[in-house]
Each structure stands twice: as C-alpha cells, then as structure tokens.
C-alpha cells in the first residue's frame, strides 16, 4: 500500500510539473527563439542535470545494446510528443493546447484495450464520449472563431505519442534505477531533437540574458527532469492507466499559467470543455477504485 501511495503522489507531481511547459516556452517564443532551439536547450540542459546527479550518486552509465535500442524508441516517442506540442503553441493558446493534450489518458485506455485486451466497461466508453465532447467545445474557441486545425492535429498527435510512451514504459520490466532509466530517455530524446532541428530547417540560436536562460533552465528542470522522473516512478508502481489519469492536473496547471501569467482568455465555453474532459477522467478513476476494492 505504501508503494501505491508513493506511486500516486509521484503521478500527481509529474502532472503538475509537465503542465508548466508554457511557462518557459512562451517567453522564449516572444523573444523570437524558434521551436527547435527551445527544445534543444530543454533536452540538453536536462541531460546535464541528470548526468550530474548520477555522478554525485555514483550511478553507472553502462547499459546493454538491446537497452539502447529500446531507449532510442522511448526517447523518440517522448521527444516527438514534446516537439508537436511546442509547435502547436504557435497556433493555439497554451491553455487550450495543454487541455486538448489531456486526451492521452483516454488514448492509453483505448490502446491497452486494443493491443493488450483490457476489458472496456460502460464507464470507459462514457468517459471517452465526455472527453470528445469537451474537445469539440474547445475547438470552437472564443465566439465564432474556429481554432486552427493544424494546431489541433499537432496536439492530438502529441497526445498519442505521449500515450504510446507511457504504455511502453509500463511494459518494460527492469530493475534499473528510475534515475538511470529516465536519463537515457532524455539523452535519446536529445538526439531526436537534433534530428528534428535538421529536418525542420530551423537554425539553433544562442540564448541571451538571464530571462532566456532562466526559461531554458525551467523547461529542463520542471516539465522534463522532474516530470519524467516522477512519471517513471508512478508508471512502475501503479501502472500506465492510473498514471495517465492523474494527468488531470496538467490542463489545470497550464490553464492557470495561461490566464494568470500570459493573459489568455478564459471563456464559459472553455470552462465547460474542461469540465467535460475532467468528468470523463473522474469516471475512469472511480472505475479503477471500484476494481481495486
């Protein structure tokens, strides 16, 4: 039971930290820093942070070649999710984009059912309907202005990649420490980011001033190092679906940041959409607790 409590606590912390993505990203965008550069510094600084902690704790960096291949895939999934989310910020408000991203718990449930034969209950089906209705409300945005479909597609793709990442971590049974495990995911995520920068054609830019470097450090520490580390612990101790469900705090965190710090609008339609999405997740939580009893 103590391990379960630690797992749920870790999942909550991971969700809150991951929801801070817009906090460092939007100011860098406002300064003219492109997506490739923001992502590069986020992952590069995170690798350095993890490496320092591993050296301090005397952790071995040695892994098997087979593990390296699996880490490369995990890093690609997580980095791909980051890239599509960050690019979507150019098309959508950060709060709306991060709320739509929250579809990934539903995707986890669906993928677990299709590929690993988890039974679909009426609660799961209803939760999917509620979440989809919420997304439709978010899609309309303010008044009669339809949100950019490119941004919508990018966020949904980001959500799918994150769902695949969570399931993949859950299916990998290993005695490797959470610190070492997460370090290699971020390291291979950095390689993916470098490939993305070359493919996108966006040049890597130098950061200037305390504000820009502070934003980069925030992105490396909160939504990368801490979020990934705690999410790994949560997945290993309580499973993929409950860990995804605890992501309910992600859109809440992102919306609060967007409204309070960046002055984004918070409309009645947006509020109803969030309520519907969270209602769908609450149904899954209730179902899981009932099964556990």
């Amino acid at each position: 039971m103590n391990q379960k409590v630690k797992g749920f606590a870790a999942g909550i912390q991971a969700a809150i930290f991951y929801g801070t993505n817009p906090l460092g990203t939007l100011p860098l965008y406002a300064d003219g820093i492109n997506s490739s550069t923001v992502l590069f510094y986020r992952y590069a600084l995170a690798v350095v942070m993890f490496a320092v902690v591993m050296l301090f704790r005397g952790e071995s960096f040695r892994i098997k070649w087979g593990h390296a291949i699996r880490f490369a895939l995990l890093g690609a999934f997580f980095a791909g999710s980051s890239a599509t989310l960050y690019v979507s910020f150019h098309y959508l408000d950060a709060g709306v984009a991060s709320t739509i991203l929250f579809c990934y718990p539903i995707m986890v449930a669906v993928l677990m059912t299709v590929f690993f034969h988890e039974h679909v209950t009426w609660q799961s089906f209803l939760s999917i309907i509620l979440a989809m209705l919420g997304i439709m409300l978010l899609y309309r945005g303010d008044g009669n202005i339809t949100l950019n479909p490119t941004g919508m597609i990018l966020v949904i793709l980001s959500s799918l990649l994150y769902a695949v990442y969570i399931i993949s971590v859950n299916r990998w049974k290993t005695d490797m420490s959470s610190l070492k495990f997460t370090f290699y995911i971020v390291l291979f995520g950095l390689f993916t980011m470098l490939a993305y920068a070359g493919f996108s054609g966006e040049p890597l830019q130098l950061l200037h001033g305390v504000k820009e470097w502070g934003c980069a450090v925030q992105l490396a520490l909160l939504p990368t190092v801490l979020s990934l580390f705690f999410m790994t612990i949560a997945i290993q101790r309580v499973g993929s679906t409950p860990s995804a469900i605890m992501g309910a705090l992600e859109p809440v965190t992102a919306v609060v940041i967007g409204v309070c710090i960046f002055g984004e609008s918070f409309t009645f339609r947006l509020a109803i959409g969030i309520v519907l999405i969270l209602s769908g997740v609450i149904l899954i939580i209730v179902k899981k607790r009932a099964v556990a009893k």
Side-chain angles (χ1 to χ4, degrees):
M1 180 61 68
N2 188 43
Q3 293 298 314
K4 294 290 185 182
V5 171
K6 290 181 179 179
F8 282 114
I12 291 172
Q13 293 177 82
I16 294 175
F17 288 134
Y18 197 71
T20 63
N21 264 303
L23 192 58
T25 306
L26 298 185
L28 289 174
Y29 282 176
D31 285 353
I33 306 299
N34 60 47
S35 301
S36 295
T37 299
V38 173
L39 288 163
F40 168 75
Y41 281 104
R42 174 188 173 185
Y43 278 80
L45 291 175
V47 167
V48 173
M49 292 177 185
F50 270 120
V52 169
V53 175
M54 288 183 66
L55 288 171
F56 180 78
R57 295 182 57 177
E59 288 263 4
S60 171
F61 288 87
R62 183 176 300 176
I63 59 173
K64 300 177 181 178
W65 280 108
H67 288 171
I69 295 173
R70 298 182 72 171
F71 277 128
L73 290 173
L74 286 174
F77 289 144
F78 186 78
S81 177
S82 299
T84 48
L85 177 64
Y86 276 40
V87 175
S88 76
F89 289 160
H90 291 297
Y91 301 94
L92 301 172
D93 280 352
V96 176
S98 298
T99 302
I100 298 172
L101 177 70
F102 185 59
C103 285
Y104 74 81
I106 308 300
M107 293 183 178
V108 169
V110 171
L111 291 173
M112 290 297 291
T113 299
V114 173
F115 293 102
F116 302 104
H117 308 295
E118 280 195 353
H119 179 64
V120 179
T121 63
W122 68 266
Q123 293 99 326
S124 297
F125 178 77
L126 182 57
S127 68
I128 293 173
I129 298 299
L130 289 172
M132 293 303 103
L133 288 174
I135 292 173
M136 290 173 63
L137 286 175
L138 293 180
Y139 183 77
R140 291 299 304 171
D142 297 334
N144 295 319
I145 301 176
T146 301
L147 299 182
N148 190 290
T150 300
M152 295 288 293
I153 293 172
L154 286 169
V155 178
I156 292 173
L157 179 57
S158 175
S159 182
L160 176 60
L161 289 171
Y162 195 42
V164 173
Y165 165 79
I166 290 175
I167 293 173
S168 299
V169 172
N170 178 243
R171 303 299 296 181
W172 188 352
K173 306 302 179 183
T174 178
D175 56 359
M176 195 180 304
S177 72
S178 298
L179 178 63
K180 182 176 180 179
F181 189 91
T182 314
F183 164 76
Y184 275 104
I185 291 174
V186 176
L187 178 62
F188 282 99
L190 174 60
F191 297 153
T192 303
M193 284 299 113
L194 290 172
Y196 165 74
F199 177 79
S200 66
E202 293 180 337
L204 295 180
Q205 303 163 277
L206 291 176
L207 298 183
H208 302 282
V210 175
K211 187 189 79 171
E212 291 185 357
W213 278 103
C215 289
V217 170
Q218 181 270 323
L219 288 173
L221 180 61
L222 299 185
T224 311
V225 171
L226 294 179
S227 179
L228 266 177
F229 177 72
F230 284 120
M231 179 57 80
T232 299
I233 294 175
I235 293 171
Q236 292 174 344
R237 297 188 180 184
V238 300
S240 56
T241 302
S243 297
I245 289 170
M246 286 181 286
L249 291 176
E250 287 177 23
V252 175
T253 303
V255 167
V256 169
I257 290 173
V259 172
C260 296
I261 298 180
F262 300 113
E264 295 178 355
S265 59
F266 187 78
T267 64
F268 180 72
R269 182 187 294 273
L270 177 58
I272 295 298
I274 292 174
V275 168
L276 286 173
I277 293 174
L278 296 183
S279 297
V281 174
I282 290 172
L283 279 177
I284 297 179
I285 295 175
V286 171
K287 185 198 73 170
K288 288 293 179 182
R289 292 183 61 182
V291 171
K293 293 179 180 179

